Amino acid sequence: MKIRRRTLVAAAVAALLLGGPAAAQEVKGEEHVLPNGMKLLLVYRPDEPSVAAGWVARVGSVNERVGMTGISHLFEHMMFKGTTTLGSKDPKRDLEIIAEQEKLRDEMRAEESKMRAALRRGEVDDITKPESRTPRYKELDAKFDLLVKEQRDLLVKNEFDRIYTKNGASGMNAGTTNDLTLYFITVPKNKLELWFWMESDRLRDPVFREFYAERDVVYEERRLGVESTPTGRLDEAFDSIFWHSTPYTWPVIGYASDVANITKAQADDYFATYYAPNNLTAVLVGDFDKAEALKLASEYFGRIPRGKVAPPEVITLPAKWQYDLRFEGEADTNPTAEIRWHTVPFQHKDSYALSVLAELLNGRTGRLYKSMVLPADAVATEARASHNGMGAPAKYAGSFNVAAEAKEGKTPADVARTALAEIERLKAEPVPAEELQKVKNNIAAGSFRRLTSNFFILLQLLFNEGSGEWKEMNEGPKKLDAVTAADVQRVARTYLVKDNQATAFVTRKAGSAPADDDAALAGVPEQIRPMIKQSLQRLAAETDAAKLKDGIAKMEAQAGQVPPDVKKGIELLVAKARERLAELETAGKK
Amino acid sequence: MKTMKTPGRTSSLALLGALLLAPAAGAVPPHPDKLTFPKFTYAPPSAKEYRTVLKSGPVAYVAEDRELPLVSLTVTLRGGTYLDPAGKEGLAELAGYLLARGGTKSKTAEQLEERLAFLAAQINSSYGIDRGSVSMSLLAKDLDEGLAILREVLTDPRFQDDKLTLRKGQLLSDMKSRNDDTADIEARERGFLTFGEGYYLNRYTTKTSLDGITRDDLVAFHRRWVDPKNVVVAASGDFGKGVTRAQMIGKLDALFARWPYKGEAAPSVPKPAHALAPGLYLVDKDVNQGRVSVMLPALQRDDPDYDAALLMNDVLGGGGFTSRITNRVRSDEGLAYSAGSGLPGGVWFPGTFRASFQSKVRTCAFATQIVLEEMKRIREAEVTDEELRTAKSSFVDTLSRRFSSKAQTMGVFVDEEFTGRFARQPDYFAGYAARIEKVTKADVKRVAERLLATDRVAVLAVGKKDDLLNPDPKHPVKFPELTAGKVTDVPLRDPLTMKPMAPAAAK
């Protein structure tokens, strides 16, 4: 089942931010702040002889600008490239090579600028093609490769990973969202000092070596997650339109041409601003001695100086929108509809009622499933709703969304109509007490289920802290439990309204429909089969409805005058032409 | 933009800061290798402590854990999609899904869903390729009601007709997406290359087979295969105020006592007869990133060489950033986001070695060449001490993470029981570290020689074919020259019949 989705990391956020209830067990965290402004949160949980450890930087794609979109995420990759101490056999020469590489890159950037100009004049059609490179660029590229080779011979390849791995650490990874960047790992309980050593070293003294190869890796990640997926580019476009006027309008992974052009100098500046200790919170969950952890924190993280400038505030506020925006696209996918509304950010007082509202709609006993999927004349195969989830972001602005896949024979417009009727019902009638209680019971149980693993507790704390503050993990559930039926009705009436709304319809791309032609052709006499098959393929790719209508009329006129054998073939063509016409009309329907 | 701040400057600044702020100068060793750690040896839990045989037949693993007021139960069932009769492909999957979703004798599907939702209880059922599963998670206070529901789900599923129709519609919708995502296409064609057309894993549900499945088929499937003879159970969590583990075992016994039907013991999983044929296989799909798999037949989990093979693969491509394929394809050349290898030890039959990556279409051949070079290198020269040490630690020192909660621990033990390893090696985990430590560099080289016959590889590539065969001039590697066998065009399959489509019709 594929419903429109964002990048993995962003999608996971919703689940992590949706907390549990009042009766719920709280996370007993002990908070400390080092003199340099770095926050430290300790959660003791001795079940397993290990510690889940991580830290979050309060920076994400929302802090970027056009021209260098994707830098937060690329930067996350660079944090694994080592330090002066780790990663190179000859750190001095390594740094010299990096400086020489940058000089060459400056020259290559000048060539890239020429290539862009050539593109704008129409002299080349695609500057990502190897054939579009200028002769000078190729020359410089060859020189650059020599430096890369020299550097590679000095590398202690991925030493940062190797040291952790050979010490029994596991699950080292990191993630970037619109709002935050987080880093995490699990270490054996006797190796906590190693974690402090490694993390403080890369925060204090990172070396961004192999920068340009890693940039290519990120471009491949973009192809993997966006460009080569059936709906990746459409999702990105809809997000961009929905979040226009805010720094959420560009994707976390960055625009393709920006990712290819981020410079190491930009990365250096970015690090100095956003990775200062006063912009970070570290979290430990597991089996460790608190006094020992505090002592290590002060010894290791205490070495890092406070940042010289405070990270700049995000200023732009979402524009008042006052229209019902429509978005349509085609892709290799089953038809889907998504309706999205502008709402409120993380920790806003109305965000709790909106979360409860989403849960009333969700699940197999939720209102969407009952009205859209279960009835005999259902419009959808699957449907779901979320607040600050699949429509993301959360920290500076919010969204509520409903998304569903159309059932065979139904259109995205049918899906949207039914979903909106459910929303209207929520505005008109207060939710019955038992239904509201069901949602709260599930939130309560969820608040226990979220506490079954050190690693999962760590992630939730990092996400909450990066989006606002970790204490929300304990406070949020109480606020969710206090939501009333009147609150739900009020937020539905306030936010889920037409002039706050955007609707996306995605239909199957012409010609990519499952072609059950072989079975259908079985009834056609063998001698005309190849001809009919060819015509079927042309039909499937036809995008002009008028032409199809004309063709159908002509074929129907002929059908009475041809031999019975040929007639079967024409009937099949007419039927398929009608199907194609219906597809086109569905796609065109507002 | 061009004013560069060298990391050197950053580092001297940081050092200055360190001097000013560090409370105890000299406390921080200059390199992590200089750190000393307290001694710690992990002793994994033993299956025997949790294992019991219920009077009603099934083996059960039961662990009490009162940290949270939750209890979870999993009933694992022998059987799977291999039980589908010819022409009824999809039966096990449908029956599995509808066990818990189609109502029971005393409750309609709607009543059941509403009650479970109100209790915030989660119940799921399914049949996969080699086992079925019915699992339940609920608040401790609701255990008895949950067990009563579970008993009905297992013995008296209603298989409501409207829910069968609904599920068929959802499956049909999924089927229509079979050619949309290159990842799905690649996984499917890999299966066909590895196991051949006739093997059960390649007998896909089609529109025709789905249309032919009736409620009677589901009922017959249930009566025949959902039987205590096929069951292994796991239970963990808080069993309720004052309820002891022994009393919980009594409740589990009752769950399977007085079974109303006479079922059959499920036969074992059939073994494939097909051999992977060397060569290059191309699927043409218009995307800008290709997906490549390099495959060879591998081992069964119980093979005496398996531990050495595991370590060999970890160094080669299984260990992420500490492995060679990842280092060369990703870190050195920037050719892929994800690049590595896997060597799953087959449980029922030998697994398949697979090195894989995704790269822009015109560098796929170049990256494949690097993968093949690394496969040759690990066959021809011993790995380093450092590499072997890192690989061993990544298995031995992370063992505790496979037992990080009671529920997870019970899951591991049920798997050991279910797959028969507990019967053969009841102390598998107790001896785990010693077995891994025993592997030598010579062992690693020997298994690489045994397994990595680079002249016998089957390479599958999905992407825009013209570009796959038109390499980036910077790395002009010719794809067809990398493999010994011939080049085969693999057509897309009709998503509803799974018959190969004529190439012209394929997009």
Side-chain angles (χ1 to χ4, degrees):
Chain A
M1 187 85 6
K2 277 176 212 81
I3 294 183
R4 302 161 55 73
R5 62 186 164 204
R6 301 176 63 83
T7 62
L8 270 181
V9 172
V13 181
L16 292 168
L17 295 180
L18 231 195
Q25 194 141 328
E26 297 202 339
V27 178
K28 290 181 196 75
E30 212 179 284
E31 188 182 305
H32 299 270
V33 182
L34 301 181
N36 60 11
M38 185 164 178
K39 254 165 101 178
L40 181 70
L41 180 64
L42 306 176
V43 180
Y44 178 63
R45 200 167 170 274
D47 297 30
E48 195 219 329
S50 65
V51 183
W55 49 275
V56 59
R58 281 179 276 277
V59 60
S61 61
V62 74
N63 303 95
E64 297 167 355
R65 62 171 171 76
V66 173
M68 51 184 276
T69 61
I71 192 172
S72 301
H73 170 251
L74 173 59
F75 197 81
E76 170 219 312
H77 281 236
M78 292 315 297
M79 285 299 282
F80 293 85
K81 288 297 180 183
T83 64
T84 304
T85 314
L86 302 180
S88 179
K89 284 176 255 180
D90 184 350
K92 190 166 154 283
R93 178 64 196 139
D94 183 61
L95 291 179
E96 285 164 12
I97 293 173
I98 290 173
E100 287 165 38
Q101 286 177 343
E102 279 311 297
K103 273 196 206 127
L104 273 178
R105 277 285 159 182
D106 280 343
E107 288 187 63
M108 290 168 83
R109 278 189 270 275
E111 290 305 304
E112 281 162 352
S113 180
K114 287 180 198 161
M115 284 149 60
R116 276 192 292 272
L119 177 77
R120 287 171 185 138
R121 283 193 302 268
E123 292 159 10
V124 295
D125 65 341
D126 179 357
I127 56 170
T128 64
K129 273 193 196 164
E131 290 78 8
S132 305
R133 293 168 196 153
T134 63
R136 177 67 183 149
Y137 184 92
K138 283 184 207 162
E139 238 176 86
L140 293 164
D141 192 38
K143 281 192 195 170
F144 188 82
D145 284 348
L146 290 177
L147 282 174
V148 167
K149 199 184 166 307
E150 189 192 344
Q151 184 180 37
R152 197 178 289 162
D153 293 339
L154 301 177
L155 289 180
V156 184
K157 203 68 189 169
N158 287 320
E159 191 176 17
F160 199 82
D161 287 77
R162 189 168 294 279
I163 286 179
Y164 264 136
T165 307
K166 96 181 164 193
N167 277 288
S170 63
M172 174 157 79
N173 214 331
T176 309
T177 76
N178 302 88
D179 295 325
L180 57 92
T181 312
L182 72 171
Y183 298 79
F184 49 83
I185 191 165
T186 298
V187 294
K189 69 171 189 174
N190 61 330
K191 304 270 172 84
L192 189 59
E193 185 169 4
L194 177 70
W195 182 79
F196 280 104
W197 199 103
M198 300 290 282
E199 302 303 319
S200 64
D201 201 44
R202 69 167 156 177
L203 281 168
R204 191 179 64 95
D205 183 23
V207 176
F208 306 136
R209 51 176 75 92
E210 300 182 293
F211 182 79
Y212 295 93
E214 200 59 30
R215 212 177 59 175
D216 291 345
V217 169
V218 169
Y219 204 144
E220 289 296 348
E221 188 179 355
R222 188 185 152 76
R223 287 190 188 94
L224 182 69
V226 180
E227 296 178 5
S228 291
T229 67
T231 63
R233 293 180 207 246
L234 281 182
D235 292 341
E236 200 170 271
F238 183 53
D239 282 346
S240 182
I241 291 167
F242 183 82
W243 295 107
H244 79 76
S245 92
T246 79
Y248 287 135
T249 192
W250 51 81
V252 173
I253 191 119
Y255 292 134
S257 50
D258 283 2
V259 170
N261 287 289
I262 293 168
T263 69
K264 196 186 148 293
Q266 288 170 335
D268 289 339
D269 282 343
Y270 179 92
F271 176 75
T273 310
Y274 293 107
Y275 278 67
N278 41 302
N279 204 38
L280 310 176
T281 299
V283 182
L284 299 178
V285 184
D287 189 3
F288 59 88
D289 180 87
K290 276 187 189 168
E292 172 74 5
L294 277 176
K295 183 177 140 277
L296 291 170
S298 140
E299 269 174 30
Y300 283 92
F301 288 136
R303 301 183 292 168
I304 310 166
R306 183 184 281 271
K308 287 206 203 69
V309 285
E313 189 200 337
V314 171
I315 305 250
T316 321
L317 294 171
K320 264 278 168 219
W321 145 288
Q322 301 193 325
Y323 41 82
D324 173 15
L325 187 134
R326 303 298 175 96
F327 175 94
E328 285 179 14
E330 287 191 349
D332 290 358
T333 184
N334 288 335
T336 60
E338 178 180 351
I339 310 168
R340 209 186 275 186
W341 293 269
H342 287 276
T343 60
V344 297
F346 185 63
Q347 287 186 303
H348 184 286
K349 63 184 175 55
D350 285 343
S351 65
Y352 309 96
L354 283 160
S355 291
V356 169
L357 172 52
E359 292 315 304
L360 285 162
L361 294 169
N362 255 331
R364 279 188 312 270
T365 61
R367 291 188 174 203
L368 291 180
Y369 207 79
K370 282 181 182 169
S371 64
M372 298 174 74
V373 180
L374 287 180
D377 59 343
V379 293
T381 54
E382 206 62 74
R384 62 173 180 240
S386 69
H387 184 236
N388 289 342
M390 299 307 283
K395 188 172 178 179
Y396 300 101
S399 69
F400 190 98
N401 89 329
V402 171
E405 183 188 81
K407 199 179 163 183
E408 191 175 41
K410 300 291 176 180
T411 66
D414 297 331
V415 168
R417 204 177 312 112
T418 318
L420 286 172
E422 276 311 312
I423 303 290
E424 288 311 310
R425 196 155 72 89
L426 279 162
K427 292 179 191 171
E429 305 156 20
V431 181
E434 171 149 339
E435 195 181 349
L436 185 60
Q437 194 54 47
K438 174 194 78 178
V439 167
K440 291 186 179 178
N441 288 351
N442 278 276
I443 292 171
S447 81
F448 294 119
R449 291 190 174 116
R450 69 187 178 155
L451 298 179
T452 51
S453 107
N454 290 344
F455 175 66
F456 192 50
I457 295 169
L458 171 77
L459 273 192
Q460 293 170 88
L461 289 167
L462 292 172
F463 269 103
N464 277 278
E465 178 73 0
S467 308
E469 53 193 332
W470 71 267
K471 286 187 179 130
E472 179 65 12
M473 211 180 142
N474 293 335
E475 298 304 313
K478 295 175 201 158
K479 293 177 180 169
L480 286 167
D481 197 55
V483 168
T484 65
D487 292 333
V488 171
Q489 195 173 24
R490 180 181 56 79
V491 295
R493 286 173 176 172
T494 308
Y495 299 102
L496 309 190
V497 294
K498 207 163 187 180
D499 63 0
N500 207 17
Q501 173 176 310
T503 306
F505 291 165
V506 176
T507 46
R508 186 170 279 285
K509 200 168 174 178
S512 79
D516 205 1
D517 292 349
D518 288 346
L521 277 167
V524 175
E526 209 159 324
Q527 63 274 24
I528 62 163
R529 234 180 257 172
M531 186 189 85
I532 300 289
K533 192 161 182 169
Q534 258 186 1
S535 306
L536 284 176
Q537 284 161 17
R538 275 203 303 275
L539 269 181
E542 183 56 64
T543 55
D544 185 341
K547 252 188 177 169
L548 278 171
K549 279 185 193 157
D550 190 41
I552 292 169
K554 278 187 188 149
M555 285 191 289
E556 282 180 332
Q558 279 175 7
Q561 305 158 15
V562 295
D565 277 5
V566 180
K567 193 175 170 193
K568 276 195 173 155
I570 291 188
E571 279 168 358
L572 175 64
L573 284 175
V574 169
K576 290 286 174 181
R578 286 191 187 287
E579 279 177 25
R580 181 63 196 138
L581 187 61
E583 266 175 40
L584 288 176
E585 284 175 346
T586 299
K589 217 178 272 174
K590 296 286 159 186
Chain B
M1 205 151 119
K2 312 229 157 101
T3 51
M4 216 202 58
K5 272 207 303 174
T6 68
R9 220 162 82 199
T10 316
S11 110
S12 56
L13 264 178
L15 266 173
L16 185 66
L19 287 173
L20 296 175
L21 287 173
V28 174
H31 194 280
D33 285 348
K34 300 269 187 288
L35 292 167
T36 54
F37 303 109
K39 187 124 187 76
F40 168 67
T41 315
Y42 176 67
S46 157
K48 285 176 211 147
E49 283 172 47
Y50 301 98
R51 187 180 191 272
T52 180
V53 182
L54 302 176
K55 281 194 285 255
S56 46
V59 169
Y61 286 85
V62 184
E64 194 174 25
D65 174 10
R66 297 196 180 254
E67 187 193 6
L68 298 165
L70 293 169
V71 56
S72 57
L73 283 163
T74 305
V75 176
T76 303
L77 291 151
R78 288 183 197 284
T81 52
Y82 64 91
L83 298 173
D84 285 346
K88 298 272 184 189
E89 289 80 10
L91 175 59
E93 188 188 355
L94 265 174
Y97 181 84
L98 289 169
L99 266 180
R101 298 269 164 271
T104 63
K105 191 175 177 185
S106 74
K107 286 187 178 66
T108 64
E110 293 73 22
Q111 288 165 340
L112 183 63
E113 294 276 20
E114 289 294 342
R115 186 61 191 154
L116 290 166
F118 194 80
L119 296 176
Q122 298 170 344
I123 182 162
N124 285 298
S125 58
S126 65
Y127 267 93
I129 58 170
D130 71 345
R131 68 194 73 179
S133 155
V134 182
S135 65
M136 190 164 79
S137 157
L138 71 171
L139 293 168
K141 68 176 175 63
D142 302 323
L143 177 61
D144 288 337
E145 183 174 350
L147 283 169
I149 290 173
L150 186 59
R151 165 83 185 186
E152 276 210 349
V153 162
L154 290 168
T155 55
D156 283 300
R158 189 183 285 230
F159 293 127
Q160 245 167 261
D161 268 322
D162 58 336
K163 295 295 174 277
L164 174 59
T165 306
L166 169 66
R167 189 59 186 163
K168 282 184 176 182
Q170 291 172 328
L171 291 176
L172 186 66
S173 175
D174 283 352
M175 280 161 57
K176 287 184 177 170
S177 277
R178 278 173 169 163
N179 285 339
D180 292 348
D181 198 325
T182 48
D184 296 338
I185 297 167
E186 189 205 10
R188 197 165 68 218
E189 293 308 329
R190 222 164 55 218
F192 281 104
L193 290 177
T194 312
F195 301 117
E197 295 274 341
Y199 192 54
Y200 88 92
L201 290 172
N202 294 326
R203 287 202 290 125
Y204 282 88
T205 310
T206 64
K207 185 167 185 305
T208 311
S209 75
L210 195 63
D211 286 345
I213 295 171
T214 64
R215 185 180 174 278
D216 288 346
D217 293 324
L218 303 180
V219 172
F221 182 94
H222 167 260
R223 302 285 190 270
R224 190 167 175 197
W225 304 118
V226 180
D227 186 282
K229 281 194 275 297
N230 291 324
V231 163
V232 183
V233 197
S236 63
D238 181 347
F239 304 138
K241 255 200 191 102
V243 180
T244 63
R245 180 171 176 272
Q247 285 167 322
M248 182 64 194
I249 289 169
K251 290 178 192 222
L252 291 176
D253 179 51
L255 188 58
F256 299 100
R258 296 168 283 101
W259 204 256
Y261 306 103
K262 186 121 190 74
E264 280 175 46
S268 48
V269 178
K271 292 182 193 306
H274 180 84
L276 188 67
L280 176 66
Y281 300 86
L282 301 176
V283 182
D284 189 15
K285 171 98 179 167
D286 187 8
V287 287
N288 68 3
Q289 187 181 57
R291 303 183 68 94
V292 177
S293 288
V294 177
M295 295 173 285
L296 281 168
L299 299 172
Q300 208 152 333
R301 190 177 68 170
D302 305 308
D303 192 290
D305 275 344
Y306 187 63
D307 289 328
L310 213 57
L311 293 168
M312 184 277 289
N313 179 64
D314 194 77
V315 174
L316 176 63
F321 290 96
T322 59
S323 68
R324 293 174 174 184
I325 288 176
T326 311
N327 274 332
R328 284 203 60 204
V329 175
R330 175 174 161 149
S331 306
D332 282 359
E333 303 291 347
L335 291 171
Y337 173 67
S338 140
S341 65
L343 208 162
V347 173
W348 315 109
F349 48 82
T352 303
F353 167 84
R354 174 185 170 226
S356 63
F357 61 85
Q358 302 84 39
S359 185
K360 53 190 167 304
V361 184
R362 294 180 65 183
T363 49
C364 280
F366 177 46
T368 304
Q369 184 184 50
I370 295 175
V371 167
L372 292 170
E373 277 169 20
E374 288 305 326
M375 288 166 66
K376 276 188 204 118
R377 188 158 77 95
I378 203 164
R379 209 179 55 205
E380 285 165 4
E382 284 188 351
V383 299
T384 66
D385 289 323
E386 166 91 3
E387 282 176 316
L388 186 60
R389 180 65 258 151
T390 304
K392 285 180 176 178
S393 294
S394 78
F395 290 100
V396 171
D397 296 340
T398 59
L399 186 60
S400 75
R401 269 142 261 171
R402 289 160 77 173
F403 303 97
S404 68
S405 71
K406 285 285 192 295
Q408 197 188 6
T409 304
M410 294 308 100
V412 170
F413 290 152
V414 163
D415 193 67
E416 292 294 299
E417 180 80 34
F418 186 83
T419 57
R421 189 156 64 184
F422 176 77
R424 294 190 300 275
Q425 282 176 278
D427 297 319
Y428 176 78
F429 292 106
Y432 183 81
R435 279 194 312 275
I436 295 284
E437 292 295 354
K438 208 175 66 192
V439 175
T440 64
K441 288 190 288 184
D443 293 331
V444 169
K445 182 162 181 292
R446 183 174 47 77
V447 295
E449 284 164 5
R450 175 179 163 191
L451 293 172
L452 302 181
T454 40
D455 56 340
R456 304 279 309 151
V457 293
V459 176
L460 171 67
V462 183
K464 193 174 178 185
K465 187 185 161 192
D466 292 346
D467 284 344
L468 283 168
L469 299 174
N470 176 28
D472 183 332
K474 199 173 159 180
H475 307 289
V477 176
K478 294 208 172 64
F479 229 139
E481 290 172 11
L482 296 175
T483 59
K486 56 183 177 75
V487 180
T488 308
D489 283 312
V490 180
L492 287 178
R493 290 168 193 271
D494 181 293
L496 301 185
T497 65
M498 292 306 269
K499 298 239 165 61
M501 294 193 285
K507 274 199 336 109

